[in-house]
Structures are given as structure tokens and as C-alpha cells.
Amino acid sequence: MLLQRLKELKIIPVIRSDQDVEAERACDWLLEAGLEALEITLTVPGAAGLIERLAANHPEALLGAGTVLTADDARRCIDAGAAFLVAPCAVPEVAEVAAQQKVPLMPGAGTASEVLARWRESAAVVKVFPAKLLGGPGYLKTLRSVFPEIPLMPTGGVTPETAADYLAAGALCVGMGGELAPKTALAAGNKKLVQSLARQALAAVT
């Protein structure tokens, strides 16, 4: 069910900020602009509390926790309402909690060997990170050619202009962070810019 919804939504905004107020503002703006999923990274102060508030205020949204690196953080985010967990790499203790709680895990990988290893470790989706630096859509297309059965989510440097290229290359969905909610825009309270970027991204993949 998660895979089908991710495929339909296509874009997963990745919320990364060192200011909790700015992070929450970004979430509200992006949801208002029409996006329906959010990955709240644990680099956001009070991330679990933010997930809990979003779950209460936006029950229709698909919420996940990102940069999950410990078992305690995994449990805390699941209790707060996270429907999926994301990690930048293999984290066995997080994988164990995800399996116990039956919550999908999306761990990161860069090489073909890592992609296969994460898949064999029961990843629901493998996060290809950092996608742009690894080679962009062309690299993802190559991975898909040898691993057609593995759902891949490229993240890192994906922009509104390149999102459709990643999907055409075989991505299940794409993760987009500062490309949707630039730090400068959040600090300045520039709602218009953030929502314009969100709508541009949605239009590109529709």
C-alpha cells in the first residue's frame, strides 16, 4: 500500500532545518500547495513533536521520519505517527525496530552493492543518495536496468526541473529538500517562493 501511494504522490518533500518554527512553516506551506507527503528529518529540533502535530492537524498527509539513526529515535517517531522511516545508510538497530513495528524502512545506498544489500535487508524502498552527485537520472536508469524489482527513491539534488527525468528513469518517487524549501526562503518567511517551487514540481511530474 505504501509503494502504491508513493508512486501516486511522486514527490516526497524532505524537511531539514535547524529551526523548528521554520520547519513547521515549511510543512504547512507545502501541504497547502498540494503536496501530500512529508519526510521530517531528525535534524529538525523536536522532530517527533512536529510529526505528532502534523498527524493531528493533517490526518490525510503521509508522514515519515528521516535521518533516523537510533532505535530510540525510530520508536519515538513511530509513536508520534510516522508511517515510514528513512535513513541515509544501513542502520541495523533501526531496521530491527521497523521490522518489529511493521513500519516500512527506506535506507540509503549509493553503489549497486549497497542497493542490493539494503533490499536483502528488507527495505521497503531503497533511497539512492546523494542522487545528483552519483550521476543523476542516468545513474538511476542504470541501477534500474540491473535491479528492476527494487523500488528506488533518488534524493539529494533533485530539483523541480529534473524530477520528471528521475521518474522517467524508473524512480518510484523522488525526495526533494532544499530545492522545494530553500533555507533563505524559510528564514525570510517567503511563502510565495516555496509554494511556487512546490507547484512547479507538481506540474512537472503530472
Side-chain angles (χ1 to χ4, degrees):
M1 178 155 180
L2 174 70
L3 295 187
Q4 183 57 38
R5 189 158 188 209
L6 290 174
K7 185 175 182 179
E8 292 169 354
L9 296 180
K10 298 184 177 67
I11 297 172
I12 311 301
V14 180
I15 308 302
R16 191 178 296 281
S17 173
D18 56 7
Q19 301 292 325
D20 56 349
V21 172
E22 290 183 4
E24 188 157 6
R25 181 187 298 157
C27 292
D28 289 337
W29 290 351
L30 292 169
L31 291 171
E32 185 180 302
L35 291 161
E36 299 179 42
L38 294 168
E39 175 192 328
I40 313 301
T41 68
L42 297 193
T43 57
V44 175
L50 175 54
I51 291 171
E52 188 169 18
R53 291 193 298 278
L54 290 167
N57 297 330
H58 302 278
E60 74 289 350
L62 178 65
L63 304 175
T67 321
V68 183
L69 300 176
T70 70
D72 286 343
D73 282 341
R75 293 189 191 95
R76 190 176 301 113
C77 291
I78 292 170
D79 289 344
F84 62 90
L85 303 177
V86 184
C89 55
V91 189
E93 63 185 278
V94 172
E96 184 177 349
V97 172
Q100 290 171 348
Q101 300 292 326
K102 294 182 172 56
V103 172
L105 175 63
M106 302 159 70
T111 67
S113 294
E114 291 171 351
V115 169
L116 183 60
R118 299 298 86 77
W119 180 246
R120 287 179 171 173
E121 292 160 5
S122 301
V125 176
V126 177
K127 169 183 172 177
V128 179
F129 175 82
K132 180 180 179 180
L133 293 178
L134 288 168
Y139 182 67
L140 189 89
K141 185 175 182 179
T142 300
L143 288 176
R144 285 288 294 168
S145 71
V146 292
F147 302 129
E149 77 284 6
I150 301 179
L152 301 174
M153 179 181 74
T155 305
V158 181
T159 69
E161 293 80 14
T162 61
D165 293 333
Y166 282 100
L167 294 170
L172 175 74
C173 59
V174 299
M176 297 177 65
E179 299 79 15
L180 281 180
K183 287 185 178 181
T184 53
L186 295 181
N190 195 339
K191 177 180 180 179
K192 183 177 180 181
L193 175 59
V194 172
Q195 293 197 326
S196 175
L197 290 170
R199 292 185 179 114
Q200 181 184 345
L202 281 170
V205 301
T206 301

